[in-house]
Amino acid sequence: MVDTNQRVRMSVKYAYQMAIVGWVDLLGYGSQISEAQFVPTHPKASEAHLRLRRFHRIVSENSRKLFPSLVMNDGAIVYRDLSYRSNSVTYDFIRRAWNLFNAINEEEQQNGDAGARMVVAAGFRLRGRRAGIDQTAGHLGSILKRFELGEISSKQAIYEASRAQAKFDIIPQLQSNYAFTKAYVAESGGSKKGFTGNKFYLDMALLASPITSDVVVDRTVKWQDQRLQLSGSFGEISNIVDHGSGYMPRGAYRDGVEVAQNISNDPDILAKLRKSKLSGLR
């Protein structure tokens, strides 16, 4: 194991971060809504709509500042950057993803639905930001400036801010995020690629070797997408021990540097990350 604590400063940010992403897919929803011919007034549509709302509610209830989510109809993404100093971030994300997966499937089972499948993967991502792209911040800044200059009243400022609508939206953490690419493409392969049923699959690059009793791996899926030249090994997980927040795992999970070394197969990847720069981006 690399002693990253002596090599990486606190809260360091490189041009390329090591990300972890979970993609969860509500199984059978497409077939369910297609039976209603995609007409919301069809008698069979209400069941599909209620199922979708339950799914969104559970994702919302399990989301946190350090475990943010984005729902996209019958799928959802959870995401975070790994720490180059500590494996506690890896552990915390995985336990939260496991809890989210179980919460969704418990609700699905109670309602006699097909459940959800989740794939958690690691990969590099290009750092990005809203500045220079999203104009909403500039509009809000204009409101505050005019209020400070006395050109508009507080009532007018609040009114304008409440009616401000973004013409464009972006989540920078998910752009050029190859952990998301890996998780989404792998899960989309379904049973043909070895990802069966409403189960939880975890990128083995995130786990230290040997595997500890904190994570129970029933089988391993050797996955490859020839078109994208992506590959990886995923464990089909039947249990993850949740020690709660603040737990400092020893040996069970890899930190960001160790994951980067595993994925890139490059023991000197940290030195290259330090030298990396973004050019032509504001």
Side-chain angles (χ1 to χ4, degrees):
M1 180 180 291
V2 179
D3 185 8
T4 57
N5 289 322
Q6 301 301 318
R7 302 176 63 187
V8 182
R9 291 180 290 105
M10 183 74 74
S11 302
V12 68
K13 295 289 185 182
Y14 299 130
Y16 303 97
Q17 293 293 115
M18 177 51 56
I20 183 170
V21 167
W23 167 255
V24 57
D25 178 42
L26 208 56
L27 301 176
Y29 174 80
S31 299
Q32 193 175 21
I33 194 65
S34 68
E35 291 180 2
Q37 301 173 346
F38 295 92
V39 177
T41 56
H42 192 285
K44 292 187 177 181
S46 61
E47 185 178 338
H49 294 157
L50 288 173
R51 183 187 180 200
L52 198 63
R53 293 291 293 174
R54 289 193 297 267
F55 172 64
H56 292 173
R57 172 181 56 78
I58 294 171
V59 174
S60 174
E61 290 173 350
N62 283 267
S63 299
R64 298 291 185 273
K65 180 180 179 180
L66 296 179
F67 189 70
S69 65
L70 171 67
V71 292
M72 300 170 63
N73 202 47
D74 57 337
I77 311 162
V78 287
Y79 56 94
R80 189 177 180 183
D81 286 343
L82 294 178
S83 168
Y84 288 129
R85 292 173 54 89
S86 171
N87 66 351
S88 62
V89 173
T90 311
Y91 152 76
D92 189 67
F93 184 94
I94 291 173
R95 79 172 182 92
R96 291 183 185 278
W98 175 249
N99 290 338
L100 170 61
F101 167 78
N102 285 317
I104 294 169
N105 278 293
E106 286 172 8
E107 182 81 12
E108 286 278 296
Q109 185 178 20
Q110 290 176 8
N111 289 279
D113 292 316
R117 180 167 55 236
M118 189 170 199
V119 175
V120 174
F124 293 99
R125 80 167 180 91
L126 173 69
R127 285 184 63 199
R129 57 197 184 102
R130 287 178 176 268
I133 299 176
D134 186 1
Q135 303 303 314
T136 306
H139 182 203
L140 294 176
S142 171
I143 295 172
L144 289 173
K145 185 176 181 179
R146 286 183 288 127
F147 172 68
E148 290 172 354
L149 293 173
E151 296 177 1
I152 59 175
S153 65
S154 59
K155 184 177 180 180
Q156 180 65 22
I158 293 171
Y159 176 77
E160 287 191 29
S162 68
R163 294 183 61 84
Q165 292 186 350
K167 300 183 290 291
F168 170 83
D169 202 2
I170 187 172
I171 297 181
Q173 295 90 335
L174 295 178
Q175 313 310 310
S176 297
N177 186 319
Y178 308 126
F180 175 40
T181 303
K182 189 176 181 181
Y184 180 81
V185 174
E187 192 282 324
S188 298
S191 59
K192 292 181 179 179
K193 292 290 186 177
F195 300 91
T196 62
N198 55 348
K199 297 177 182 177
F200 185 96
Y201 294 90
L202 181 64
D203 193 337
M204 297 298 284
L206 293 159
L207 300 179
S209 182
I211 307 301
T212 71
S213 58
D214 276 7
V215 182
V216 179
V217 181
D218 287 350
R219 69 182 181 96
T220 303
V221 178
K222 299 292 184 181
W223 171 78
Q224 184 177 23
D225 186 285
Q226 293 182 346
R227 183 177 64 87
L228 296 177
Q229 299 184 52
L230 274 173
S231 62
S233 179
F234 289 87
E236 184 178 293
I237 308 300
S238 59
N239 189 50
I240 292 175
V241 178
D242 184 355
H243 296 281
S245 60
Y247 176 70
M248 300 296 291
R250 293 187 178 183
Y253 303 93
R254 288 177 170 141
D255 61 36
V257 173
E258 293 165 339
V259 175
Q261 290 172 333
N262 182 275
I263 288 178
S264 66
N265 197 28
D266 184 354
D268 297 320
I269 190 65
L270 179 58
K272 294 175 182 177
L273 288 172
R274 280 176 165 158
K275 295 178 181 178
S276 61
K277 294 181 180 180
L278 298 180
S279 59
L281 296 179
R282 292 189 297 167

